[in-house]
Amino acid sequence: MASPSEIVDCTLENGDATQCARYVVKYMPDDIKIGPFCPATLEDEGGIWHWDGDEAGLYRIDEAFLRMLDGQGYTFFTEQGKVYSFDILVEGPTEPHECIQASGDPDVEMTVVIPANPVLADKPTSLGTVAKVGIGLDGVPIFADAPSVLQTGHMPALDTCGGHIDPGGWYHWHATATDLNEIYKSEGVNAECSHVEQDKTAQFGYAFDGFGMFGTLNYDGSTPENLDQCGGHIGLTEEGGEPVYHYHSATTFPNLPTCLAGVVAQDNFSTNATGGIGSTNGARSHDGPPDLAAIAKTLNVDSDLLEQAIEKAGGPNADMNELADQLGVSVEALQAALPGPSE
């Protein structure tokens, strides 16, 4: 914590006024260990990556994995075996395929707002790439799966506990870190989350809707039953307690909820970082594609129109002049609204 937590008045996304827990957390906990992320050479072992191309699966980022990608047309290394990588906090890629990592910024703080009395929604909210999932009990934010290399060409490497640093300079989870080693064992991955204690019954954090997130097993070691599409159910989380709705970790990677069953608070995540998720001028992070809704709002255009115009103008490599012409805005305004490589 950067400051003591507090209960504040807040408004849910359905318009209901209620109270929320407000947490201000640092760029990473004082006692956490992170890494490795990108290997320096083919002789080194980096973190992990969930590959979704041919021969899909969870892999350690090592020579065998990178050579497999090379065979599919994704070359991440030089002829001499040096792995292409860049620090997205300060620079952009110079090669078609690079491993991404970022430096931490000790001055960064994040504010997270979670409903104190969670309520179930009329229907679940799907969690797409890099969607906000929750916050760990250690104060580390939790986000949904990182984007595919097939989409971006680059690989924002995760460490062996399923986390990495955002371009804003703060660490976050892309997995339930307390329940990863069993996945490595079942999927034959030569990796170990040694920085976080493994406990399949433990609570890992709270989702942004206020419901708890636990490991793959119930508090008593039994297997959860009647899990819904989000990976949650109503049941006991402690002996002698009352049955409550909560989520359980999946047995495959990524092992986070795929949707949220409850209602989240408005303006539930922000940061003083100069770029990345939640910042005032960071429309995207290295984890995901641009936030089209945020860009459309800045340009005062319809988000669906923006998406269609981008595709028509060339997709990720859209011609700025053509795109600006389709949207009826100046090229200068468009460039100002779009995130740069360090955002």
Side-chain angles (χ1 to χ4, degrees), residues 179 200-202 214-224 248-249:
D179 198 2
K200 293 185 284 186
T201 66
F214 292 77
T216 50
L217 301 180
N218 292 320
Y219 78 95
D220 59 1
S222 62
T223 301
H248 282 281
S249 172

Side-chain angles (χ1 to χ4, degrees), residues 46-325:
I48 60 169
W49 188 251
H50 186 231
W51 172 245
D52 58 345
D54 292 342
E55 301 184 59
L58 183 63
Y59 289 89
R60 189 74 186 264
I61 305 176
D62 57 14
E63 180 174 5
F65 174 57
L66 293 175
R67 288 197 180 280
M68 184 196 78
L69 295 188
D70 180 50
Q72 298 186 36
Y74 297 87
T75 302
F76 281 85
F77 54 88
T78 67
E79 292 182 358
Q80 293 75 34
K82 180 181 178 180
V83 176
Y84 296 123
S85 66
F86 69 100
D87 184 339
I88 199 169
L89 188 68
V90 296
E91 60 188 347
T94 58
E95 300 293 332
H97 308 296
E98 294 198 40
C99 187
I100 308 174
Q101 51 193 13
S103 301
D105 184 349
D107 293 328
V108 167
E109 294 179 353
M110 293 149 288
T111 300
V112 177
V113 179
I114 304 286
N117 300 294
V119 295
L120 290 170
D122 293 334
K123 62 179 181 179
T125 301
S126 297
L127 294 172
T129 303
V130 204
K132 296 177 291 185
V133 177
I135 184 170
L137 296 184
D138 54 7
V140 175
I142 307 166
F143 288 86
D145 202 14
S148 168
V149 174
L150 303 178
Q151 293 177 320
T152 67
H154 305 297
M155 183 190 306
L158 304 176
D159 64 21
T160 53
C161 287
H164 62 186
I165 300 177
D166 184 83
W170 45 272
Y171 187 77
H172 58 277
W173 300 120
H174 280 286
T176 302
T178 51
D179 198 2
L180 267 180
N181 285 346
E182 281 297 314
I183 291 179
Y184 293 146
K185 182 179 179 180
S186 65
E187 298 194 20
V189 179
N190 182 27
E192 179 183 8
C193 176
S194 57
H195 303 335
V196 178
E197 182 179 354
Q198 300 294 287
D199 186 343
K200 293 185 284 186
T201 66
Q203 182 174 0
F204 177 58
Y206 287 96
F208 268 101
D209 58 11
F211 293 113
M213 301 170 60
F214 292 77
T216 50
L217 301 180
N218 292 320
Y219 78 95
D220 59 1
S222 62
T223 301
E225 297 180 345
N226 302 318
L227 295 178
D228 61 23
Q229 60 183 306
C230 299
H233 69 165
I234 296 176
L236 296 176
T237 59
E238 60 182 359
E239 186 175 359
E242 294 291 329
V244 295
Y245 185 86
H246 60 281
Y247 301 98
H248 282 281
S249 172
T251 57
T252 57
F253 193 93
N255 59 347
L256 296 172
T258 57
C259 55
L260 293 184
V263 185
V264 304
Q266 296 178 4
D267 303 319
N268 55 19
F269 183 83
S270 60
T271 174
N272 66 351
T274 57
I277 301 171
S279 66
T280 56
N281 64 345
R284 71 173 178 184
S285 108
H286 67 296
D287 291 328
D291 184 341
L292 296 184
I295 297 171
K297 184 177 180 180
T298 300
L299 294 172
N300 195 28
V301 299
D302 181 77
S303 59
D304 290 336
L305 173 63
L306 174 61
E307 183 176 4
Q308 294 169 11
I310 290 174
E311 289 301 316
K312 188 175 180 180
N317 300 312
D319 180 274
M320 291 295 103
N321 291 298
E322 180 181 346
L323 183 55
D325 184 61

